[in-house]
Amino acid sequence: MHTKHKSKTWAALILSGMLLFTMNTTGYAAASTESMPKPAWTSSSLMLSEANTEKDVLIKGIHAVPSKNLVYVHASQPVTKTSSKTTLDWQLDSLQAFDATTGQLKWNTIFHEKSGPYTTYSDSVYASNGTAYVYMEYSDKTKKLYSFNTSGKTNWVKTVNSPASISLLDNDTLMVASSQGVQSNGSVRSAISLYDKKGKLITEKTINGNVLKADHGRIVVDASKQTKVGNFWQQAANPKVEIYDRTLNRLSFYQFPANANTLGDGGGESLAILDDGSILMRANVENTGNRLMGFGTDGKLAWGRAIAGDAYIQTAGNGYTVFTGQKLELYTMKGKVTERTFKDAQPALMRVDPTQDGQYQLDFAKTGYILNPQTLEDVHIYTTSASVPSLEGVSTYVDDVIYSMNDETLSKYVLKSNSAK
């Protein structure tokens, strides 16, 4: 992996990947279809009145914490009239927490003080115990990282000096990756800091490159120099990828061939990290087509295989699915597990997502599925109904419950458990 990959090596890896993925189709259990039930509750409006905002609520994310009987909604509203301290239109961000049993608002944090700066960018991640980490960039150029407990109290607040991204590694370790941006020669330097749940710094390191993704004890970095196009910097289409572990030790690197493009093709995840630390990356190879590349737990390239250009990739646990047309195929890093066909995949597929409890959720125009991530067996099949005419809202699923947005309100839908069917 630490040597240049010539075309013969690339071809051999692709061939070995094709030979590895032999057919092994198994049957699957069909669950009974149920109509989406009426909401167990619908919240009050998430619309805030603290600023003159557009009549719209943008949902950054929904996250349920069953152990705390809590549901978070990270929401944002575009600001149409600025205060005396701002000169451009911004957004008004909030983190709202609802009682999962009643739908009542338990607490609400608004990231704006009267006449103060508004947020220009925000992100949030959630630890297994329900701790919420929220990163905010403000219109006055300040940047802050907040930690909230499930009662809405602030655990700690940190000032971040440069634009950053936040991620959770295993053991709920919080990673903050910040960068001063692209240097005049096209290089990028990133400062990576790891914190425990109390906000104590565990370790930090400055590396060459830009962090692409971090999860499950692995950090994937694009270590290539960027190219300036006009007034903008553009990342390399065929990056040099470096993989670090949770101790910030570099495990390996891989240089994609000159004729490969990893900047996006098809649908779903173009870069994913499995629970065991294995990594998937998608590339479009000139005159060859789309390839899915698998990197093992040691960070080294293990295989490459051909996939359709319109294939939709999604991961859950230690497996991944490839959805093409009406066919959903399930794989692990070792090879193909099973496949199944969805004849109701018309009209076009709306989405494939991993659920909070590690299963797969497929939503078509009128029918949705929750699938076992190891077998693709049905856990739930649900259809639209007169009381629930659409499945298009931002939603999350966990433990037989779907929380979904409808305009500016959140609703809870309880599906029949397996024992009740």
Side-chain angles (χ1 to χ4, degrees), residues 30 34 132 185 207 223 290 339:
E34 60 180 301
N185 65 352
I207 63 169
N290 274 234
E339 69 176 49

Side-chain angles (χ1 to χ4, degrees), residues 178-350:
S178 59
S179 173
Q180 293 287 345
V182 185
Q183 305 303 305
S184 59
N185 65 352
S187 63
V188 178
R189 297 274 286 172
S190 294
I192 298 179
S193 304
L194 302 183
Y195 297 93
D196 65 14
K197 61 183 179 180
K198 295 182 179 180
K200 181 181 178 180
L201 180 66
I202 300 172
T203 186
E204 60 183 348
K205 185 176 185 177
T206 299
I207 63 169
N208 289 317
N210 180 53
V211 174
L212 298 176
K213 193 176 184 66
D215 204 354
H216 305 300
R218 293 293 181 268
I219 304 167
V220 183
V221 175
D222 178 356
S224 310
K225 287 187 176 181
Q226 297 190 17
T227 304
K228 198 167 188 179
V229 179
N231 295 324
F232 300 96
W233 288 97
Q234 181 173 299
Q235 66 186 83
N238 60 317
K240 176 186 176 183
V241 173
E242 297 185 342
I243 300 173
Y244 292 77
D245 64 15
R246 64 178 62 84
T247 67
L248 304 187
N249 174 55
R250 193 181 75 167
L251 297 176
S252 60
F253 72 84
Y254 177 74
Q255 175 65 62
F256 276 85
N259 62 343
N261 189 322
T262 64
L263 295 181
D265 203 0
E269 295 179 288
S270 59
L271 168 60
I273 304 174
L274 304 182
D275 282 3
D276 64 1
S278 302
I279 294 166
L280 301 177
M281 285 194 72
R282 184 176 191 156
N284 187 340
V285 183
E286 186 178 356
N287 299 323
T288 303
N290 274 234
R291 294 287 185 268
L292 194 62
M293 317 305 298
F295 298 82
T297 55
D298 59 359
K300 296 180 179 180
L301 181 64
W303 49 260
R305 58 175 288 248
I307 58 173
D310 61 349
Y312 194 100
I313 308 298
Q314 191 56 260
T315 61
N318 287 324
Y320 68 95
T321 56
V322 180
F323 196 98
T324 311
Q326 296 180 329
K327 183 169 66 174
L328 182 69
E329 300 171 283
L330 174 65
Y331 296 85
T332 65
M333 287 290 288
K334 294 182 178 179
K336 189 168 185 174
V337 178
T338 188
E339 69 176 49
R340 61 180 293 185
T341 299
F342 292 87
K343 295 182 179 179
D344 53 359
Q346 302 297 328
L349 173 70
M350 286 173 58

Side-chain angles (χ1 to χ4, degrees), residues 48-281:
L48 302 176
S49 59
E50 276 70 14
N52 184 9
T53 60
E54 296 179 5
K55 300 301 181 182
D56 194 13
V57 177
L58 307 177
I59 304 303
K60 296 293 188 74
I62 304 172
H63 187 85
V65 188
S67 62
K68 301 294 184 179
N69 198 41
L70 192 70
V71 187
Y72 289 117
V73 180
H74 178 183
S76 178
Q77 296 171 220
V79 176
T80 57
K81 183 178 181 180
T82 60
S83 73
S84 59
K85 291 187 178 182
T86 61
T87 57
L88 297 173
D89 291 345
W90 306 112
Q91 60 195 44
L92 180 67
D93 276 84
S94 65
L95 182 66
Q96 304 185 39
F98 295 88
D99 186 298
T101 300
T102 66
Q104 295 296 310
L105 181 66
K106 297 188 69 174
W107 54 266
N108 181 18
T109 295
I110 300 172
F111 297 91
H112 169 69
E113 296 178 1
K114 187 176 181 180
S115 299
Y118 295 99
T119 51
T120 59
Y121 173 80
S122 61
D123 193 16
S124 54
V125 294
Y126 306 90
S128 58
N129 64 356
T131 298
Y133 299 103
V134 185
Y135 169 73
M136 291 284 166
E137 294 181 5
Y138 290 96
S139 55
D140 64 356
K141 306 301 182 181
T142 59
K143 303 161 188 67
K144 293 187 178 182
L145 177 61
Y146 304 83
S147 171
F148 299 98
N149 65 24
T150 53
S151 298
K153 295 181 179 179
T154 305
N155 295 319
W156 46 262
V157 181
K158 295 184 182 297
T159 297
V160 182
N161 295 326
S162 302
S165 62
I166 58 173
S167 306
L168 279 174
L169 302 179
D170 48 2
N171 301 321
D172 286 341
T173 299
L174 179 67
M175 188 197 83
V176 180
S178 59
S179 173
Q180 293 287 345
V182 185
Q183 305 303 305
S184 59
N185 65 352
S187 63
V188 178
R189 297 274 286 172
S190 294
I192 298 179
S193 304
L194 302 183
Y195 297 93
D196 65 14
K197 61 183 179 180
K198 295 182 179 180
K200 181 181 178 180
L201 180 66
I202 300 172
T203 186
E204 60 183 348
K205 185 176 185 177
T206 299
I207 63 169
N208 289 317
N210 180 53
V211 174
L212 298 176
K213 193 176 184 66
D215 204 354
H216 305 300
R218 293 293 181 268
I219 304 167
V220 183
V221 175
D222 178 356
S224 310
K225 287 187 176 181
Q226 297 190 17
T227 304
K228 198 167 188 179
V229 179
N231 295 324
F232 300 96
W233 288 97
Q234 181 173 299
Q235 66 186 83
N238 60 317
K240 176 186 176 183
V241 173
E242 297 185 342
I243 300 173
Y244 292 77
D245 64 15
R246 64 178 62 84
T247 67
L248 304 187
N249 174 55
R250 193 181 75 167
L251 297 176
S252 60
F253 72 84
Y254 177 74
Q255 175 65 62
F256 276 85
N259 62 343
N261 189 322
T262 64
L263 295 181
D265 203 0
E269 295 179 288
S270 59
L271 168 60
I273 304 174
L274 304 182
D275 282 3
D276 64 1
S278 302
I279 294 166
L280 301 177
M281 285 194 72

